[in-house]
């Protein structure tokens, strides 16, 4: 289960960021500080997001799932950030279609094949706009973990 | 005959893993024998020929092979339409 492995040091309920690069830097720094990712992680994230953007519009809720090559990751993990003010990301699969993102699920992936089920669970959470709206509305990381736990129990 | 399906994304990390699994399930349920090749976008050319390419990033190049976006597997929107399009290419 994802919720069991969430680390509250990697959950931001009211992140103040000026643009998408600022989000990647701040959330990525937490993954480095908590020893999930290597020092090269943030730079690699920024580069990859520019080339292969990860913004998604899920029934009107903007989400981004930034991630990068496994070589920049030490141990797998997920960081979650609810943004104080939405910032624009480019939509996945597009050149320049913007999506106003208010929740970021940053993935630290080590072995995608081995973690297929976890990736699928994260996608199932992201594809549920009701869960996303609830995540946006709560005030603490414990509440976010609780919402994810509830969703996972329905999968 | 076994069909070869290339599933590609930016880094062959997250999105193509999800999309590849969906395609495997879809083909299994429809008794279509496929071989999946999960790679980066930049590796497509060197892995041809193939019967179908599915990507979760934008690809402008024409590889002379049917290309379908696997984005619906990530966003959850329009999944059935995409599955039908994949079956239309692989079924014959």
């Amino acid at each position: 289960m994802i919720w069991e492995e969430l680390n509250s040091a990697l959950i931001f309920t009211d992140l103040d960021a000026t643009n998408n690069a600022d989000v990647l830097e701040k959330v990525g720094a937490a993954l480095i500080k908590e020893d999930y990712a290597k020092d090269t992680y943030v730079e690699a994230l920024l580069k990859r997001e520019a080339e292969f953007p990860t913004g998604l519009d899920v029934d009107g809720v903007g989400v981004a799932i930034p991630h990068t090559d496994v070589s920049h990751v030490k141990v797998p993990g997920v960081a979650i950030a609810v943004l104080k003010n939405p910032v624009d990301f480019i939509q996945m699969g597009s050149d320049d279609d913007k999506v106003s993102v208010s929740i970021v699920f940053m993935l630290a992936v080590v072995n995608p094949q081995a973690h297929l089920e976890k990736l699928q669970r994260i996608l199932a959470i992201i594809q549920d706009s009701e869960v996303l709206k609830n995540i946006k509305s709560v005030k603490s990381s414990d509440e976010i973990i609780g919402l994810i736990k509830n969703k996972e129990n329905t999968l | 005959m076994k069909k070869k399906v290339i599933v590609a994304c930016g880094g062959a990390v997250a999105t193509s893993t999800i999309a590849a699994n969906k395609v495997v399930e879809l083909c299994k349920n429809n008794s279509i024998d496929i071989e999946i090749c999960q790679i980066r976008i930049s590796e497509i050319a060197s892995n041809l020929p193939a019967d179908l390419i599915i990507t979760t990033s934008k690809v402008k190049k024409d590889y002379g092979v049917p290309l379908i976006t696997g984005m619906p597997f990530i966003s959850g929107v329009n999944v059935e339409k995409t599955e039908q399009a994949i079956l239309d290419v692989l079924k014959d």
Side-chain angles (χ1 to χ4, degrees):
Chain A
M1 300 287 235
I2 303 293
W3 70 270
E4 293 168 309
E5 293 175 10
L6 288 172
N7 171 350
S8 56
L10 298 177
I11 300 179
F12 301 84
T13 50
D14 199 18
L15 185 73
D16 200 354
T18 48
N19 53 39
N20 69 43
D22 197 21
V23 174
L24 299 183
E25 281 165 14
K26 285 176 172 158
V27 182
L31 279 162
I32 295 170
K33 184 164 177 274
E34 293 292 314
D35 224 21
Y36 288 78
K38 298 179 189 171
D39 290 343
T40 53
Y41 184 71
V42 168
E43 199 189 327
L45 267 185
L46 290 165
K47 208 175 149 194
R48 194 178 186 283
E49 190 67 32
E51 200 177 354
F52 300 106
T54 66
L56 294 166
D57 180 342
V58 182
D59 274 342
V61 184
V63 184
I65 52 167
H67 56 276
T68 192
D69 198 81
V70 297
S71 62
H72 304 285
V73 177
K74 290 181 184 172
V75 288
V78 184
I80 302 172
V82 178
L83 307 184
K84 192 172 181 181
N85 300 302
V87 303
D88 283 349
F89 274 73
I90 305 292
Q91 282 208 36
M92 192 185 290
S94 83
D95 272 339
D96 49 15
D97 294 344
K98 290 192 176 78
V99 53
S100 180
V101 167
S102 47
I103 309 177
V104 173
F105 288 78
M106 186 176 284
L107 314 177
V109 183
V110 171
N111 182 344
Q113 311 304 336
H115 301 302
L116 175 64
E117 204 205 320
K118 277 186 198 164
L119 286 170
Q120 287 173 326
R121 283 175 172 276
I122 292 167
L123 259 282
I125 295 160
I126 290 167
Q127 289 175 0
D128 188 329
S129 60
E130 284 306 308
V131 173
L132 296 180
K133 282 173 195 159
N134 288 333
I135 288 177
K136 269 170 72 173
S137 70
V138 298
K139 301 285 173 223
S140 72
S141 52
D142 284 347
E143 286 172 290
I144 290 179
I145 294 172
L147 289 167
I148 291 173
K149 178 183 178 181
N150 291 343
K151 172 66 184 176
E152 286 193 273
N153 284 338
T154 68
L155 296 175
Chain B
M1 215 182 103
K2 205 171 204 168
K3 301 280 172 74
K4 180 173 170 183
V5 180
I6 291 178
V7 183
C9 70
V13 176
T15 59
S16 60
T17 306
I18 297 285
N21 183 61
K22 294 278 185 186
V23 176
V24 168
E25 271 178 23
L26 175 71
C27 290
K28 203 172 154 192
N29 294 339
N30 287 275
S31 307
I32 300 172
D33 197 13
I34 57 160
E35 171 200 351
I36 288 271
C37 176
Q38 192 200 331
I39 51 171
R40 294 162 196 257
I41 299 272
S42 58
E43 297 164 339
I44 292 177
S46 56
N47 280 278
L48 294 173
D51 297 284
L52 171 64
I53 301 171
I54 295 169
T55 70
T56 51
S57 310
K58 188 155 191 169
V59 174
K60 292 195 194 82
K61 203 167 158 183
D62 183 359
Y63 294 97
V65 173
L67 192 142
I68 293 173
T69 172
M71 272 301 297
F73 294 133
I74 311 302
S75 65
V77 181
N78 271 332
V79 174
E80 280 178 23
K81 212 171 138 190
T82 303
E83 289 184 338
Q84 192 53 53
I86 292 169
L87 291 176
D88 287 346
V89 171
L90 296 178
K91 245 192 242 173
D92 54 42

